[in-house]
Amino acid sequence: MRFVDNPQTMTEEMGMYEARGKIKLISDLQTFNRGFTKREFVITTEDSKYPQDIKFETARDKTALLDNLQVGQEVSVSFDIRGNEYNGKYYVNLNAWKIQAGGQQQQQQQAPANNFGSEPSFVEDNSFGEPSVEDLRGDEPPF
């Protein structure tokens, strides 16, 4: 699967995705109900004609991956695609689980297991950092 014109910028291999670009924005840490935390960041891919700004998120302990990175820095982001429904609206999140800065590895991580075809569960502390049912109760979605 290819998302952009330049296959060197974003690739998919066995359900694991990777994107390369320059950091454009790193948001502050956000804390939601029951201690759920996330942090978002944006990279700009340098595709041939049309650079793309792509937003990723890190959750729970993965928020620390952004601590030593700066705007303007070249990175390679390994991520998975997560989707969910909340109050009749559908959301897609690009969940970063490894970030390599300037070709150097920021943190060694194994790819999360692929759970396609299984029923979604609301586990309190799952490896994808998704919010629990309690986190989803409220006026604003936590994503």
Side-chain angles (χ1 to χ4, degrees), residues 56-67:
F56 296 91
E57 68 177 32
T58 57
R60 301 189 192 268
D61 61 328
K62 299 290 190 254
T63 60
L65 293 173
L66 296 166
D67 288 347

Side-chain angles (χ1 to χ4, degrees), residues 82-85 115-124 126 128 130-133 136:
R82 305 295 292 167
N84 62 310
E85 179 269 335
N115 293 326
F116 297 115
S118 63
E119 287 296 315
S121 61
F122 292 97
V123 177
E124 187 64 32
N126 65 40
F128 294 110
E130 291 184 2
S132 68
V133 172
L136 294 175

Side-chain angles (χ1 to χ4, degrees), residues 72-90:
Q73 193 170 6
E74 290 280 341
V75 293
S76 177
V77 180
S78 297
F79 64 97
D80 57 12
I81 300 172
R82 305 295 292 167
N84 62 310
E85 179 269 335
Y86 181 77
N87 287 341
K89 292 184 180 181
Y90 292 88

Side-chain angles (χ1 to χ4, degrees), residues 33-49:
N33 296 336
R34 298 173 55 107
F36 175 75
T37 58
K38 78 172 189 173
R39 198 167 177 193
E40 298 173 334
F41 65 103
V42 175
I43 67 168
T44 301
T45 63
E46 296 297 328
D47 295 327
S48 58
K49 270 184 149 180

Side-chain angles (χ1 to χ4, degrees), residues 29 94 103:
L29 184 69
L94 304 180

